[in-house]
Amino acid sequence: MSKTTYIATGDSFITRRIPAGGYDGYQPMAELIKSHDVAFNNLEMTFHDREGVPAAVSGGTWAMADPRILDDIKAMGFNLFNTANNHSCDYSHGGVLATIRHLKERDMIFSGTGKDLGDASKPCYFEAGGQRVALISVCASFDVSAMAGEQSADMQGRPGLNPLRWKYIYHLDQPHFDAIVETARVTRINAERERDIAAGYFNPPAEGTTVLGSFSFVLDDHNWIESVPDERDMTRIEAEIREAAKQADVVLVSLHAHETDADDTTVPARFIETFSRRCIDAGAKVMIGHGPHEVRGIELYHGGVIFYSLGNFIFQTETVEYQPADAYSNKGVPLTTKVGEYMDIRSKNSTVGYIAMKEIWEAIAASWTIEDGSIKEVRLYPVGLGFGARRPQGGWPVLSQDEEFLQRLAVLCKPYGTELKIENGCATLVLS
């Protein structure tokens, strides 16, 4: 019988070396990670020594860290990595390629970024516990400049990440739909499109639909928001999953996505649910979600498991070593400002933003066993990251055994019909 154990954690925005002797709580966490055959982590950083130039836009904080930190992450027990996230191209193409080089120098197995779209889209493979595991990594939260580009017959492709594009479609009742039509008329925001339609370059909108600039609206009997994955990317990714399923025993898909259609950020956007289920139907066994920096629900679907977000794992945005001029200009502060002062200004002395949100500092490490192609057990370990700690100390993960947090996670799982059994500071999914 083939039996392999897996563990997955969320976002590692790590900016500091792990001390040689670890930190308080390091040993139990590292032992848990090392007790599994396959250990996944999302590297939400670029790793290089200013080998790339700052991009005009970033994922929020321009994310760059000492490449030697990769040695520390590897020593913690991780052996499978995602590099496709909203920080992948914070330091432009040079940062992407330098990070890839530093990963390869350390024999770290990863997917999600590459020298072109084909390279970024392909799965990586890892053999452990008697199984060959494929990982395909995708990002839905990105600036268009971060997308990897295809190679043509006579031109190389563009370095970047493996993208999942998507769009919102706003469904409106008649009064609100009419208001959009009138707003477009008064502002002339659609004038260029209307000229192109008149010239025959574009088709006119279908009856009962309209646009306002780049936003699409549909006449409906009630107001709601629909989000859908772009079929170009969806079809391409499904094809990669089917190919990986021919070459591996187990296919994992990693998705970095912040989006929600609701006011509640713990609820994933509809396109994330659609994408995840279609990946399982295409042959993936587990969907590993991360991105919103907080946990989301878990769904059991067609023999697979979808973790909509594991939350953070290491979170040290405030102690990043460098920030480009763009960061200071965006806040209207002098270019002579230092990083620590900039962080004080940005967070209003740690009173606003992620630094002040308790839910950002709670996460889960998800463990599961696959035996003869079936998921046999899923365990959830609560992780604390030191909410309220001083900036130099915060962000390190420890096993918290926080059952109150697990109870809140159970509530997030209920809409998917997923039940948790909570005991002894841990939770297990009820699989049947």
Side-chain angles (χ1 to χ4, degrees):
M1 291 191 299
S2 175
K3 180 179 179 180
T4 304
T5 56
Y6 297 74
I7 192 166
T9 60
D11 303 326
S12 282
F13 199 112
I14 180 169
T15 58
R16 311 195 297 271
R17 296 291 307 269
I18 297 177
Y23 53 84
D24 189 18
Y26 171 85
Q27 201 62 36
M29 178 62 73
E31 288 175 359
L32 175 65
I33 294 164
K34 292 175 181 178
S35 69
H36 293 76
D37 299 310
V38 181
F40 167 92
N41 183 254
N42 168 43
L43 295 173
E44 195 162 9
M45 294 293 294
T46 62
F47 295 90
H48 53 97
D49 185 17
R50 289 177 281 184
E51 294 161 72
V53 299
V57 293
S58 76
T61 300
W62 276 261
M64 175 178 58
D66 187 330
R68 293 174 297 176
I69 289 174
L70 292 172
D71 300 317
D72 301 337
I73 290 286
K74 190 174 179 181
M76 200 174 192
F78 291 106
N79 51 34
L80 193 60
F81 304 94
N82 165 65
T83 56
N85 53 65
N86 55 298
H87 292 284
S88 299
C89 290
D90 280 0
Y91 284 86
S92 305
H93 301 154
V96 173
L97 296 175
T99 299
I100 289 172
R101 177 169 57 79
H102 286 295
L103 286 162
K104 288 184 175 180
E105 285 174 354
R106 292 163 171 81
D107 293 322
M108 296 173 74
I109 298 173
F110 69 94
S111 64
T113 53
K115 66 183 184 329
D116 55 35
L117 183 60
D119 197 33
S121 300
K122 69 182 183 182
C124 62
Y125 293 95
F126 179 61
E127 306 206 23
Q131 293 179 352
R132 191 178 197 221
V133 181
L135 172 68
I136 295 168
S137 299
V138 183
C139 182
S141 304
F142 58 88
D143 183 81
V144 65
S145 62
M147 289 174 49
E150 290 186 88
Q151 181 171 329
S152 70
D154 54 3
M155 180 60 69
Q156 66 188 40
R158 178 179 61 252
L161 57 79
N162 183 16
L164 173 65
R165 288 165 287 184
W166 53 276
K167 66 177 179 179
Y168 281 130
I169 301 173
Y170 298 91
H171 293 248
L172 300 176
D173 59 18
Q174 191 71 62
H176 290 92
F177 186 85
D178 291 344
I180 292 295
V181 172
E182 178 63 10
T183 299
R185 185 190 69 80
V186 170
T187 62
R188 301 299 298 144
I189 195 170
N190 297 332
E192 183 176 356
R193 179 187 293 265
E194 290 167 358
R195 287 193 295 271
D196 288 338
I197 290 171
Y201 296 122
F202 282 0
N203 293 324
E207 185 175 355
T209 69
T210 192
V211 297
L212 186 68
S214 61
F215 298 97
S216 300
F217 300 87
V218 174
L219 180 62
D220 208 331
D221 58 5
H222 66 288
N223 301 313
W224 62 285
I225 301 172
E226 179 183 13
S227 61
V228 295
D230 189 306
E231 279 300 318
R232 293 170 296 179
D233 292 330
M234 189 77 249
T235 300
R236 174 178 54 80
I237 294 164
E238 286 172 319
E240 292 286 356
I241 293 171
R242 287 191 292 270
E243 171 64 16
K246 299 178 192 299
Q247 305 285 32
D249 299 298
V250 175
V251 180
L252 309 177
V253 176
S254 163
L255 175 64
H256 193 82
H258 297 198
E259 290 73 21
T260 179
D261 301 338
D263 293 331
D264 184 353
T265 55
T266 63
V267 178
R270 289 172 183 261
F271 83 85
I272 297 173
E273 296 177 338
T274 301
F275 171 82
S276 299
R277 293 164 187 161
R278 285 179 63 171
C279 286
I280 298 292
D281 288 337
K285 181 59 68 173
V286 178
M287 279 289 309
I288 306 170
H290 37 84
H293 296 301
E294 57 185 323
V295 297
R296 287 174 169 174
I298 302 165
E299 182 176 12
L300 300 174
Y301 178 79
H302 291 187
V305 180
I306 301 170
F307 300 103
Y308 281 109
S309 176
L310 299 175
N312 289 316
F313 181 67
I314 299 172
F315 197 59
Q316 300 170 341
T317 59
E318 303 286 302
T319 50
V320 66
E321 188 171 0
Y322 301 104
Q323 288 294 273
D326 307 76
Y328 305 121
S329 296
N330 290 347
K331 282 295 177 184
V333 298
L335 299 186
T336 54
T337 304
K338 299 297 185 180
V339 173
E341 182 184 359
Y342 164 76
M343 292 298 174
D344 284 342
I345 293 168
R346 189 176 74 167
S347 68
K348 297 183 179 178
N349 293 317
S350 302
T351 61
V352 300
Y354 287 151
I355 193 74
M357 299 167 63
K358 185 173 185 288
E359 61 270 25
I360 299 301
W361 302 82
E362 302 170 314
I364 54 173
S367 164
W368 65 94
T369 299
I370 296 181
E371 185 174 352
D372 295 334
S374 297
I375 296 174
K376 297 298 185 182
E377 181 183 45
V378 180
R379 295 178 64 83
L380 308 173
Y381 297 90
V383 175
L385 290 101
F387 175 67
R390 293 177 58 251
R391 183 182 295 169
Q393 302 301 321
W396 295 121
V398 299
L399 294 171
S400 68
Q401 296 188 313
D402 187 343
E403 294 192 3
E404 188 274 332
F405 165 64
L406 292 174
Q407 293 288 355
R408 284 186 275 120
L409 175 60
V411 172
L412 298 178
C413 293
K414 280 187 176 180
Y416 300 107
T418 306
E419 296 181 19
L420 304 187
K421 182 180 179 181
I422 300 171
E423 57 184 0
N424 300 322
C426 184
T428 56
L429 265 63
V430 179
L431 298 179
S432 59

